[in-house]
Amino acid sequence: MNYINILALGDITGENAVIKLENKLRDIKNKYHIDFVIANGENAEKARGITKELFDRIIASGVDVVTMGNHTFSNNGIYVINDDRLIIPANIDDTSLNKGYNTFNCKGAKIFVCNLMGKDCVPKPKYNAFKVARKIFDNINDDTIIRIIDFHAGFCNQKRVLAHYLKDEVSVIYGTHTHIQTADESILYNKVGYITDIGMCGPINSAIGYDLDFETRRFVEELKDDSILSKDTNCMINGCIFKIDIKTGNTLEVQRLSK
Ligand SMILES: [Fe+2]
Ligand SMILES: [Fe+2]
């Protein structure tokens, strides 16, 4: 086969979402003939960060690579996950646990996965995502044909602009962080798979994963307290499937997934 199907999953929010993946991801992979799965895990532990136990369970559910975002350091668990399959934003700080990207082998192809973070995130990344990305792609190995970016950011415009800026370098740019799936999946410039945000794997009856009653109080009473994870056990799985030509690295098809 001369193409590969990559499934990107949105921010995994809470343990119930991990359980949902444990129960459903194998079936989804079979149904859509998925070869490789990248999932954003920045909200796995009570919506803030990730633990080693949850990382291991996400991988065991059928995920190949876990990316992160502004909640990378919200849980100390990140420091004990010593695993090449964990990728944190390349521009987050100086002391990053890894270089923000890695290359993986699948079906005889090399898949380069990079994680970047927008400056509208809280806390902000230390470095400019665009400049860091340019540096990374100026030094990338030419035989790494399939190149994927999870751009973890809020503002829609910067995600679309990054796709324009890197149009000659990448196969796919997808967004995470807002937890809301956008309907603008497309193939830009006849080669770059794109969607502004792939959405969330998390509680359905929630406000982007947070408890609705508590969020209501936060808004009505203007509470300063942090949001808390919704207890709803009924979770959605949101993501996007990219069919990519192994020889050219061009995206051939983009399909949103919402289960
Ligand atoms: Fe998130
Ligand atoms: Fe985020």
Side-chain angles (χ1 to χ4, degrees), residues 47-234:
R48 290 183 183 78
I50 192 167
T51 62
K52 173 151 176 37
E53 186 226 332
L54 288 172
F55 174 83
D56 290 343
R57 284 172 61 187
I58 291 167
I59 293 288
S61 76
V63 170
D64 297 286
V65 178
V66 175
T67 52
M68 295 294 287
N70 52 308
H71 283 294
T72 296
F73 300 118
S74 298
N75 189 292
N76 286 336
I78 193 80
Y79 296 106
V80 293
I81 306 170
N82 185 13
D83 196 303
D84 290 343
R85 294 168 294 185
L86 175 72
I87 297 178
I88 71 172
N91 58 325
I92 197 166
D93 67 4
D94 289 312
T95 57
S96 290
L97 306 174
N98 65 14
K99 50 193 184 295
Y101 54 85
N102 210 344
T103 304
F104 304 89
N105 294 307
C106 179
K107 287 174 76 177
K110 286 184 180 171
I111 303 173
F112 177 85
V113 181
C114 177
N115 192 191
L116 294 164
M117 200 171 122
K119 66 178 178 182
D120 60 321
C121 286
V122 179
K124 282 181 181 195
K126 184 165 183 187
Y127 297 105
N128 178 301
F130 291 74
K131 290 180 179 169
V132 168
R134 178 55 71 203
K135 212 173 186 178
I136 289 170
F137 286 100
D138 278 350
N139 292 294
I140 195 170
N141 228 328
D142 283 345
D143 68 348
T144 309
I145 306 290
I146 299 173
R147 303 167 178 185
I148 316 286
I149 294 180
D150 169 359
F151 190 21
H152 194 83
F155 298 142
C156 303
N157 53 354
Q158 66 188 313
K159 301 189 195 184
R160 179 62 182 83
V161 172
L162 188 72
H164 184 70
Y165 185 61
L166 297 177
K167 63 181 183 296
D168 295 325
E169 318 290 349
V170 300
S171 308
V172 169
I173 290 188
Y174 64 86
T176 55
H177 179 64
T178 73
H179 293 207
I180 304 293
Q181 189 176 75
T182 56
D184 60 340
E185 77 277 18
S186 51
I187 299 173
L188 305 174
Y189 317 104
N190 292 318
K191 59 183 179 180
V192 179
Y194 177 79
I195 179 169
T196 299
D197 206 295
I198 57 174
M200 165 184 80
C201 298
I204 293 171
N205 191 30
S206 74
I208 65 165
Y210 295 126
D211 182 87
L212 280 167
D213 289 331
F214 192 74
E215 285 304 284
T216 304
R217 287 188 56 211
R218 273 181 19 99
F219 284 108
V220 175
E221 298 171 30
E222 298 186 18
L223 297 182
K224 295 281 183 283
D225 310 51
D226 284 341
S227 303
I228 54 176
L229 177 67
S230 165
K231 292 185 180 63
D232 185 17
T233 56
N234 198 9

Side-chain angles (χ1 to χ4, degrees), residues 2-4 145-146 243-252:
N2 50 6
Y3 64 84
I4 200 163
I145 306 290
I146 299 173
K243 181 176 178 179
I244 300 169
D245 188 313
I246 287 176
K247 294 227 158 41
T248 63
N250 293 349
T251 294
L252 305 170

